[in-house]
Amino acid sequence: MIPYGKHHLDAGDIQEVVDVLENKFLTQGDMVEKFAAALCSVTGAEHCQLVNSGTSALHIACLAAGVSDGDWVWTSPISFVASANCALYCGAKIDFVDIEPETGNMCPVELEKKLDWAVRCNKLPKAIVIVHYAGHPAKMAAIRDLTERHNVILIEDAAHALGASDQAVPIGKCIYSDMTVFSFHPVKVITSGEGGAVMTNSPELHQRLRLFANHGIVRDKNLLKDATQGDWYYEQQLLGFNYRISDIHAALGLSQLKKLDGFVKARQQKANFYNDILSQLPIQLPPTNDGVSHAWHIYVVGLKRHERKKVFQELRSKGVGVNVHYIPIPLHPYYQSLGFQMNDFPLAKSFYENALTLPLFPTITKEEQQFVLDNLCEILV
Ligand SMILES: *Cc1c(COP(=O)(O)O)cnc(C)c1O
C-alpha cells in the first residue's frame, strides 16, 4: 500500500539522535534551545516555546490567551479534533465557522456574518483557532481586519503549514496573529517523533507559555513573588503541566528543520505533477492562491460526480492508500452530544462528503504517483 503520508529520515538525522543519547542531556539540555532558536529564524517570530506535541501547544496557547470557563473559542469544522479540544480543556465553549469550498480554510465572509451575530447576542469569542488546511495559508489579513475591533486573540493552527508563506511572509511569523502552533508528528512536514511549538512575538505570552508548559513553576529570580529566599527556591505560580519536549526529540526536529526547504520543494513538485494530469478529470483540484507558497502537507481533491466511498474502497483495494481529511469535528459523536448539527456548516459538510486525500510525501516516486493516477483515471473516466 502506498501510504497517504510518510516521514523521511536520513543517516544525519539518526546520528543527531545518537549523539544526544551518547553525549548529552536527555532532557533540558541545549538541543531544545537550539531547535527553538532555529524555528524563530526560519519563521521570523521573536519567541518559541517547544512542547511535546501540537496538541499540547494548542492547549497552552489557549491558556496563555486567557481562555477559561464561560469563554467562547471558534475554529474551523474541517480540521483534526485537537483544534477544538484545546478550548474544551480550558473549560471554554467551542463553536465553528464555516469554510471556503476551494481551500477548506475558514471563510472570512462566514466569519464576518458570525461576528455580527455574536455582537448581537453577546457571544463574541475570546480566541479563534485558524487552521491552514493542507498547508495552504488561510486569509489571515482579512481575518485580523474583522476581529481586531473585538479584541479577539488569534491562534494559527499551522500543524500543516510549516514552510508555507503568504505574500512572502512565512507562516509562523505571527504578523496577523498572536500565536502560531506547529506539530512535528511524523506525518507533518518535518518530524521530531512527537513534538510541537508555539511561536509568538509577545514576551508576555511567551512567559505564560513557558509557565504552562513547566508546571506553572518560576525559577527566574526577577519573577519570584518572594525574592528573599536562597538559591534552592522556586515557586509554582499557576496550574501548569509537564509538556516539555526532550533533547532526543529536539535533536531530531532540529536536524529535520535544516531540510525544510527541500521537503517543501519536493512536495510542491509532486503536487504539480498531480495537478497537471488531474486537470483533465472531473474533479476539483486543490488551489494555490496568488502570492501563496503552499506546504502541501496533504493533497486533497474534491470528487464531483463519483461517490467518495466507492472511489475510496476501490483505490484502497488496488494498494493506493487514500485517506479522508477530515471527518468534520462537529460530526464526531462527542461533539454531536454537545448538540452540534452539520447542517449549520453546509460548506464543510459538502467539502467532507467529496474530499479524497491522495498519497503525497517528499520521497514518493514518479512511478508511485503514476500508479495512483492510472488507478484514479480508470475509476473516474
Ligand atoms: C496533527 C495536527 C494537530 C495535532 O498535532 P499533534 O502533534 O499530533 O498533537 C493539531 N491540528 C492539526 C490541524 C493537525 O493536523
Side-chain angles (χ1 to χ4, degrees):
M1 182 83 71
I2 306 172
Y4 85 89
K6 195 165 79 174
H7 63 271
H8 174 65
L9 300 188
D10 66 16
D13 294 323
I14 293 165
Q15 193 53 49
E16 291 294 333
V17 175
V18 171
D19 280 355
V20 171
L21 293 174
E22 284 180 340
N23 303 319
K24 298 187 181 152
F25 292 100
L26 295 185
T27 193
Q28 296 177 285
D30 64 350
M31 295 316 283
V32 177
E33 254 168 57
K34 283 185 177 157
F35 187 25
L39 281 163
C40 287
S41 105
V42 164
T43 57
E46 298 281 331
H47 307 283
C48 170
Q49 177 63 47
L50 280 163
V51 286
N52 57 3
S53 74
T55 303
S56 304
L58 284 165
H59 185 192
I60 62 168
C62 284
L63 289 169
V67 170
S68 68
D69 283 7
D71 289 328
W72 284 97
V73 173
W74 294 355
T75 190
S76 166
I78 297 292
S79 186
F80 184 55
V81 290
S83 307
N85 288 345
C86 56
L88 304 183
Y89 296 156
C90 303
K93 291 170 284 189
I94 190 82
D95 203 356
F96 303 92
V97 180
D98 214 347
I99 58 156
E100 300 173 327
E102 300 81 22
T103 60
N105 285 331
M106 183 181 288
C107 173
V109 178
E110 296 292 325
L111 176 61
E112 185 168 20
K113 277 196 258 174
K114 191 145 187 148
L115 284 167
D116 287 345
W117 163 85
V119 168
R120 287 198 304 276
C121 52
N122 208 10
K123 283 187 174 176
L124 277 170
K126 174 103 176 190
I128 301 182
V129 177
I130 298 128
V131 181
H132 303 300
Y133 176 78
H136 188 295
K139 296 193 173 119
M140 290 306 301
I143 291 171
R144 185 55 131 187
D145 264 359
L146 291 169
T147 55
E148 207 156 37
R149 69 198 129 105
H150 303 301
N151 290 321
V152 179
I153 291 169
L154 296 185
I155 300 168
E156 297 175 66
D157 179 345
H160 299 184
L162 180 62
S165 64
D166 194 1
Q167 318 304 318
V169 179
I171 294 293
K173 196 169 184 191
C174 304
I175 60 169
Y176 299 115
S177 70
D178 299 280
M179 289 170 272
T180 300
V181 166
F182 293 120
S183 161
F184 311 118
H185 181 276
V187 88
K188 308 295 159 76
V189 180
I190 69 162
T191 186
S192 63
E194 294 277 5
V198 189
M199 315 303 297
T200 184
N201 295 319
S202 153
E204 293 78 25
L205 284 174
H206 182 223
Q207 169 62 15
R208 284 170 64 75
L209 290 165
R210 186 159 52 193
L211 276 182
F212 282 115
N214 290 288
H215 310 277
I217 285 177
V218 172
R219 290 177 189 279
D220 183 342
K221 288 231 157 46
N222 302 314
L223 302 170
L224 294 173
K225 308 254 184 232
D226 178 356
T228 66
Q229 303 289 321
D231 283 348
W232 71 87
Y233 185 71
Y234 60 85
E235 292 173 349
Q236 182 186 339
Q237 294 186 349
L238 49 74
L239 185 62
F241 302 84
N242 177 0
Y243 279 170
R244 286 191 305 266
I245 192 169
S246 76
D247 267 45
I248 306 169
H249 294 84
L252 181 55
L254 177 60
S255 180
Q256 287 259 300
L257 185 60
K258 292 176 181 155
K259 299 188 250 275
L260 177 65
D261 281 350
F263 284 157
V264 171
K265 283 207 180 80
R267 286 176 177 277
Q268 287 173 343
Q269 184 218 326
K270 282 149 210 279
N272 287 337
F273 183 63
Y274 276 148
N275 282 341
D276 286 347
I277 312 244
L278 290 175
S279 60
Q280 297 146 31
L281 292 184
I283 54 177
Q284 184 191 317
L285 296 183
T288 305
N289 291 347
D290 286 347
V292 159
S293 178
H294 200 316
W296 291 110
H297 161 56
I298 44 177
Y299 186 92
V300 182
V301 298
L303 299 177
K304 283 182 181 158
R305 293 200 238 112
H306 297 77
E307 196 197 330
R308 199 257 314 275
K309 190 172 176 187
K310 254 168 79 183
V311 178
F312 181 97
Q313 303 288 20
E314 246 178 274
L315 285 168
R316 279 278 177 102
S317 76
K318 299 261 169 62
V320 179
V322 283
N323 217 314
V324 172
H325 293 95
Y326 286 93
I327 300 150
I329 302 173
L331 197 56
H332 284 280
Y334 177 79
Y335 282 89
Q336 289 280 298
S337 77
L338 301 181
F340 288 106
Q341 308 268 344
M342 239 8 248
N343 287 336
D344 292 333
F345 314 104
L347 300 163
K349 182 168 186 275
S350 111
F351 187 91
Y352 164 61
E353 284 165 356
N354 299 313
L356 188 70
T357 306
L358 304 184
L360 179 73
F361 44 92
T363 55
I364 191 171
T365 63
K366 237 192 180 126
E367 292 69 37
E368 287 172 320
Q369 281 195 288
Q370 195 59 56
F371 181 75
V372 173
L373 289 165
D374 290 347
N375 280 293
L376 189 61
C377 289
E378 203 180 299
I379 298 166
L380 295 188
V381 178

